[in-house]
Each structure stands twice: as C-alpha cells, then as structure tokens.
Amino acid sequence: RIRHYRWEVKYEFKTPDCFKKLAITINGQTPGPTIEAQEGDTVVVELKNSLLTENVAIHWHGIRQKGTPWFDGTGGVTQCPIVPGDTFVYKFVVDRPGTYLYHAHYSMQREAGLYGMIRVSLPPGIAEPYTYDYDRSIILNDWYHKSTYEQATGLSSNPFVWVGEPQSLLIHGKGWFDCSGLQADVCNATNPACSRSPYVLTVVPGKTYRLRIGSLTALAALSFEIEGHNMTVVEADGHNVEPFEVKNLFIYSGETYSILIKANQAPTRNYWAVSKVVSRNSTTPNGLAVFNYYPNHPRRSPPTVPPVGPAWNDVNSRLAQGQAIKARQGYIHSPPRISDRVIVMLNTQNTINGYTRWSINNVSYNIPDTPYLIAVKDKLYHVFDQTPPPDSYDFQNYDISRKANNSNATTSNSLYKLQFNSTVDIILQNANTMTSNNSETHPWHLHGHDFWVMGYGKGKFDINSDPKKYNYVNPIMKNTVAVQPYGWTALRFRADNPGVWAFHCHIEAHFYLGMGVVFEEGVEKLGPLPSSIKGCGDTKRFP
Ligand SMILES: O=C1O[C@H]([C@@H](O)CO)C(O)=C1O
C-alpha cells in the first residue's frame, strides 16, 4: 500500500512554552503529523518548501532506505537541499515494524521544530510479543528561544558563543517558561495555548498502555518518568527488547523506546509525567505533562510535588540502563563473530585557527557543497578530499582523562570507504573536553543501518581485553547509542546497504561543529540516481 502525504513546510509564530518564536511547521503543526504505516508499505511525502529564504531536507530516522539511499534526506550527503518554492517527493519503503522519527537534516534546522514520528505496525494477524490495550506516542524535546541562525552564528564565531542550556523542555510540543518580567506580546503565561495546557495523556484505570517515546532534543540527554508508575521497556529503535522494568527511562536524542505502563494507581487523581535534563548540570526546568486518570478533569493539577528525577551526574545508572537493553528472546539477530575492520573514533573538542570544533581522531568534519552520493556515483572526485580519514588515534599516548595539551585539530570532508558486505566495528571513545574535569555525553546515530551494541565501558578502551567481553549472545540492534563521559561504546554493523551514510553525534551544535563522519559502500551497485536530488554544487540536474 502507498501512504501518501502532502506537506507544506513554513515558518510560523508559535508559543510552545509561552514564549513567541518563529518555528518551522508542517501543515501548521510542530511536532509534525505522525506517519502511520504498515510493514512493507511505501511512504510518499510530497514536500513543499515554503520557507521563503531557506533550504530544507528531511531525514527518515531509523528507516534504512534499502535501495533508495537518495531519499535518506541528509543535506550535502544524499541529496541537494530543497530550495524555497520547490516541491520534492520522498518515496521509500518502511520494511520493519516499530517506532521511528523524522526531522530536518539541513544545518541546525531540526531544532526550529521540524520533526515528527513514524509508526510502523505489523501486518494483520501478526502480534507483538507483548500485549496492551492502547497505543500512544510522545516526542520529547528541548527548546531554545534564540533562532537557529543566532545559534549557528555564535558557534562559528571567534570568540566562540556557546548555545547554552535550553530555555525549556517540551513534551509532545508543549512546555512552560516563566514569563515574568517579559512583555505580553513576547511571552504570555496567560495565553491558553501554553501554560494552562501542558500535554495530557488520558488513561482509563486498569488499562495497559504502550507508550512510544522518541527524543529529538537539540542538546539534552533526558530522564523521563511518570509519577508512581513503573515502566516496562519492550522496544528500542524498532527492535524488541527483553522486557525490563524502570522507574525512569534515560533517553538520548535520536532514540525511540516503547514502554508498557499500567494505570494501576489510585484513580481518584492525576499524576505528573516529568522530563529532566541529565548528563549536564543544566539550568533548564523540568518538563511537565499530566498523566490523567479518566474521569478526572484533564486540567486538574496532580496534588503532589512533581518527582525530582535522578541526579544529573549519575553516570552509573545511565550505563546500567544501556547494559540492561538486550534483544528479546526469539527476536535475536546474531552478530557476525569476526569483524573485518575496526575503526576507533576518539571524540574530542578542539580548536582550529582559534575556532571551537569537535573532532573524530583529530579531524573535524565539513559538509561539501556537492552531495557525496552524487559525487561518488558520477565520479566527481575533485569535490571532496580524497585522503581517507584515520581509522584510529594515538592509542598509547592519548590521555582521555585530561585536557589535551594541544587542542589543535584539522578539518576534512573526506569519507570512509567501506568494503561492500564487510563487517565493521566502531569504538566510540570519549575523552575530556577543553574544560578540565569535563567529559560530555554524545548520542551517535548511524544512517542506513542498524548496528549491534557489543559493549560499553568506562575509561579507555582496551583493544586486547575489552573485545573479549562483547555480548555475542543477545546484543540489541539500534540506530542511535550514547557514549558516556570518559567512557566507550563498541558497535558492529554490516556494510550491506549501497549508498553514502552519515554517522554523527545527534546533538545539533556538535554535528554543526564537525562531530560526524560519512561512510560509503557499494555505490557502484546502484542504478541511476533520481535527477530530483541533483542541481547543487558541481552536479547538474539536466545534463
Ligand atoms: O561544544 C560545547 O561547548 C560548550 C563548552 O564546552 C564551551 O562553552 C559545551 O558545553 C559544549 O558541549
């Protein structure tokens, strides 16, 4: 079946947290409409760019785009961005059930509000390995009041202007900001569109809910909980998880989870749902929503103080959740025992000519004007650097626990060429930033594939002993995974999807500052590229 969507993307004034801001909407909405499809369906999105002066591209996050790498929606990597006034048609198959996301993938545009969820159901007659009465979904986000332009300009200035902590946290597009002292036309706490209407999830006492949760934060790692209720995790990034119970769910930008939650508490009142920034000592107030027990009034405030959530610096609990996520019995895809290539990726904050950047193995990434997919297919080798990026860093000598003596890095727009059908290991190695005693959390997202999460660890990865501890029994497959402060995360994937694929930190500012790489595999196997993706840089739409 074909699922056809017609979307118009434009700027509109919105007040998701009471503060008036230009947000990017789809058909007037942010979050955008949910794509509902069934396994095997073809999704067609006819996207009209009505942004007046800004390009756009939309990435279908978690959809592997097998056979359609040109519709991955990554500006500069898989397509020329869509120019104002143009309509671009994305067309791809959703080949697996589960919970996925979509969002802008052009500069830092995602955080202006251009995002939504994709829900893919099983074919009729096939059931999930768990039961529930109702299926609901929410997207968690953080929200800045400064425009994307102001943020991006600050990040690329010398002296560096950091974006700072977000002003509020949104739960499915709704948040709350304290407007005191601000003009009513800028921030209006009595506006019925904001403070008086937090997001409400209404539940019937005794029923079990599947709650699909996705995070598309620009910066924040989050903890999410529903007061007084335990949650059972059953799905992660589209894969069935061996169920485990949590009081709060840690969720990083780009991840999706399904949790089961039973409305089994006193039905005479409502409860708080809370999102909280973790991994940064943030000033951002917690996000609040109402878990509303029918027939209590949805606007009735819970009688309690909202739960405060875990300590922001409790790395052990976050690591423990990562390690608890295992593939569900009966749904295990075993990883290849041996990998053909190991790429160690040291994550560092650096300077280049006085500008602040992020680097992988001391190389900070730049997106070329000519998208790689077209460049590689059409052999336009002059448009990007042909020296391959490094597979490792100075393993013996680099002290990940300290600020580097020399923070200088270089920049490049070269890519990693992977042998088609080979098995690749990636070791994400975290380190100290340019601030003493500081290491951050980075959620890494791979386009075009799922990877096995082979293991996590603290400190410096040991190439001799740590691989012996990899989980070959039931590792979960994901498309996004966190690397914890001063820690490492090991991934394995098969380079079996012809195309050019980004792999990057999902923090908007970090990817913007160079924290990403690009993989190429099997492009020679692809047929002709659609002309609609061409037209920029050295590419010609009409030869
Ligand atoms: O890239 C970043 O810059 C700041 C800080 O390191 C310097 O202001 C921060 O917290 C980041 O994640």
Side-chain angles (χ1 to χ4, degrees):
R1 265 188 305 180
I2 307 264
R3 307 274 176 165
H4 202 126
Y5 294 84
R6 218 168 258 128
W7 289 356
E8 185 181 18
V9 170
K10 61 174 193 285
Y11 272 106
E12 285 179 68
F13 287 111
K14 290 281 177 188
T15 54
D17 64 352
C18 308
F19 186 92
K20 187 164 121 189
K21 189 194 158 171
L22 273 178
I24 302 183
T25 60
I26 297 174
N27 298 346
Q29 293 169 245
T30 171
T34 299
I35 292 182
E36 297 271 3
Q38 207 177 72
E39 184 187 66
D41 285 354
T42 298
V43 172
V44 177
V45 178
E46 239 174 88
L47 190 88
K48 176 159 174 27
N49 179 2
S50 295
L51 293 175
L52 307 180
T53 61
E54 195 173 327
N55 295 337
V56 70
I58 295 191
H59 170 54
W60 315 95
H61 182 115
I63 308 297
R64 289 165 301 172
Q65 303 290 357
K66 295 222 165 199
T68 50
W70 38 79
F71 291 141
D72 187 48
T74 314
V77 178
T78 60
Q79 72 170 99
C80 291
I82 309 159
V83 299
D86 266 15
T87 296
F88 184 91
V89 183
Y90 288 102
K91 188 174 176 189
F92 53 87
V93 174
V94 286
D95 60 350
R96 282 179 312 162
T99 309
Y100 308 98
L101 300 163
Y102 67 82
H103 58 80
H105 213 304
Y106 177 71
S107 189
M108 288 172 62
Q109 203 172 51
R110 182 182 91 220
E111 63 172 69
L114 183 39
Y115 60 85
M117 192 173 263
I118 304 173
R119 295 163 43 129
V120 185
S121 59
L122 284 158
I126 301 182
E128 271 110 6
Y130 44 88
T131 55
Y132 49 88
D133 300 301
Y134 299 101
D135 190 347
R136 301 278 183 267
S137 41
I138 53 171
I139 301 183
L140 306 177
N141 207 359
D142 50 10
W143 194 245
Y144 286 93
H145 292 169
K146 284 190 175 151
S147 72
T148 310
Y149 288 94
E150 203 166 342
Q151 291 193 27
T153 306
L155 294 172
S156 31
S157 295
N158 185 5
F160 182 63
V161 185
W162 173 239
V163 296
E165 298 301 313
Q167 277 63 56
S168 61
L169 296 181
L170 306 185
I171 297 182
H172 216 64
K174 290 183 175 210
W176 186 82
F177 179 73
D178 181 359
C179 288
S180 0
L182 293 170
Q183 302 260 10
D185 62 338
V186 174
C187 195
N188 188 348
T190 60
N191 179 346
C194 46
S195 65
R196 296 286 158 83
S197 60
Y199 182 76
V200 175
L201 187 74
T202 299
V203 295
V204 175
K207 298 291 181 193
T208 298
Y209 288 77
R210 173 184 186 177
L211 183 59
R212 302 171 190 249
I213 308 173
S215 171
L216 281 171
T217 53
L219 175 69
L222 297 175
S223 160
F224 177 78
E225 69 185 286
I226 296 176
E227 183 189 10
H229 295 73
N230 281 348
M231 315 190 267
T232 305
V233 181
V234 291
E235 182 209 350
D237 295 4
H239 291 275
N240 288 319
V241 165
E242 192 59 42
F244 66 99
E245 208 165 90
V246 292
K247 184 170 149 297
N248 63 290
L249 177 77
F250 294 108
I251 179 166
Y252 306 90
S253 183
E255 286 190 316
T256 66
Y257 290 97
S258 282
I259 54 133
L260 299 181
I261 183 161
K262 192 163 183 177
N264 59 4
Q265 296 302 301
T268 49
R269 50 163 288 196
N270 292 337
Y271 296 82
W272 293 111
V274 185
S275 62
K276 177 199 164 116
V277 178
V278 290
S279 95
R280 299 181 70 92
N281 192 1
S282 179
T283 49
T284 310
N286 292 352
L288 292 177
V290 174
F291 196 64
N292 163 233
Y293 270 66
Y294 183 82
N296 293 285
H297 196 282
R299 299 270 172 92
R300 195 170 150 211
S301 244
T304 40
V305 175
V308 293
W312 71 270
N313 53 359
D314 182 358
V315 181
N316 287 341
S317 298
R318 302 204 301 271
L319 255 175
Q321 182 189 297
Q323 281 159 340
I325 302 174
K326 305 274 166 55
R328 188 176 182 126
Q329 214 59 42
Y331 296 85
I332 298 171
H333 303 273
S334 295
R337 289 297 301 191
I338 293 173
S339 76
D340 301 303
R341 180 170 174 187
V342 180
I343 307 178
V344 182
M345 297 192 174
L346 175 69
N347 292 207
T348 52
Q349 193 185 31
N350 300 82
T351 43
I352 296 180
N353 300 326
Y355 292 88
T356 297
R357 301 281 301 183
W358 284 85
S359 305
I360 305 310
N361 298 338
N362 243 39
V363 179
S364 187
Y365 171 69
N366 273 330
I367 300 178
D369 297 326
T370 302
Y372 294 102
L373 181 60
I374 311 167
V376 175
K377 179 80 181 144
D378 294 349
K379 304 193 164 52
L380 306 171
Y381 295 127
H382 61 284
V383 301
F384 66 92
D385 188 351
Q386 294 297 308
T387 317
D391 270 21
S392 188
Y393 69 104
D394 184 5
F395 228 84
Q396 299 301 326
N397 301 315
Y398 196 94
D399 186 350
I400 63 139
S401 65
R402 285 206 177 76
K403 219 170 93 168
N405 294 331
N406 177 356
S407 64
N408 282 332
T410 57
T411 106
S412 170
N413 59 14
S414 61
L415 48 69
Y416 288 92
K417 191 165 173 44
L418 305 178
Q419 202 188 330
F420 187 66
N421 263 334
S422 64
T423 301
V424 181
D425 278 10
I426 306 286
I427 316 297
L428 293 164
Q429 174 68 63
N430 212 339
N432 204 99
T433 62
M434 292 195 299
T435 307
S436 295
N437 301 314
N438 178 251
S439 180
E440 300 190 359
T441 305
H442 304 283
W444 277 83
H445 171 59
L446 178 60
H447 292 221
H449 311 75
D450 290 331
F451 47 72
W452 287 275
V453 182
M454 303 304 290
Y456 297 91
K458 284 180 167 180
K460 196 164 165 178
F461 179 77
D462 185 328
I463 199 98
N464 298 313
S465 61
D466 284 324
K468 298 198 177 99
K469 297 180 223 150
Y470 283 174
N471 177 8
Y472 286 97
V473 179
N474 54 359
I476 188 73
M477 294 192 86
K478 295 186 95 262
N479 61 63
T480 306
V481 74
V483 53
Q484 299 294 345
Y486 300 110
W488 57 264
T489 303
L491 322 176
R492 179 167 293 183
F493 69 97
R494 281 183 61 85
D496 58 1
N497 192 7
V500 181
W501 308 106
F503 178 50
H504 61 93
C505 175
H506 216 258
I507 291 174
E508 275 295 56
H510 289 179
F511 182 49
Y512 182 78
L513 293 168
M515 196 168 200
V517 300
V518 173
F519 298 124
E520 185 265 304
E521 73 217 31
V523 165
E524 65 285 351
K525 302 196 183 310
L526 294 169
L529 305 177
S531 64
S532 62
I533 66 164
K534 300 187 180 179
C536 60
D538 275 21
T539 72
K540 291 187 184 57
R541 191 179 291 187
F542 308 105

